[in-house]
Amino acid sequence: DGGEPADPAPGPEEALLLAESATRLRKAMATLAPLERDLLRRHYGMGTEAWTIPQLAIRERCTVAQIAYRLAVARKLLKKLI
């Protein structure tokens, strides 16, 4: 091809859109309960596997089904807020 490599940095407009999205996400996350924030961070941000959910259930003294339900509710709420 011989062309110059593409610049991986976003342009000014894209950078602004990314910053606005990040702000909306932070505000939406702030409205969630601490456990829901933790679940979403683990699931999306840290790539936590489903097998760790029982460990969270033990820590939170609840059932795996309750943790899975709270994660599902947090996902829906987050999608609605952003």
Side-chain angles (χ1 to χ4, degrees):
D1 163 32
E4 292 185 30
D7 185 1
E13 290 176 18
E14 187 178 356
L16 179 61
L17 290 173
L18 289 170
E20 289 173 351
S21 293
T23 298
R24 282 194 310 273
L25 178 60
R26 275 193 299 279
K27 286 180 180 180
M29 290 288 283
T31 67
L32 300 175
L35 176 60
E36 282 79 16
R37 282 195 305 268
D38 185 34
L39 287 170
L40 288 169
R41 281 189 189 114
R42 287 174 183 272
H43 184 72
Y44 291 109
M46 298 167 51
T48 300
E49 299 295 327
W51 62 266
T52 63
I53 289 178
Q55 294 170 348
L56 290 171
I58 291 167
R59 185 187 79 193
E60 295 296 323
R61 294 188 171 92
C62 59
T63 67
V64 171
Q66 289 170 320
I67 292 287
Y69 175 77
R70 289 178 80 168
L71 177 58
V73 168
R75 281 184 192 154
K76 287 180 184 178
L77 181 59
L78 193 62
K79 285 180 183 179
K80 188 177 178 180
L81 293 171
I82 54 174

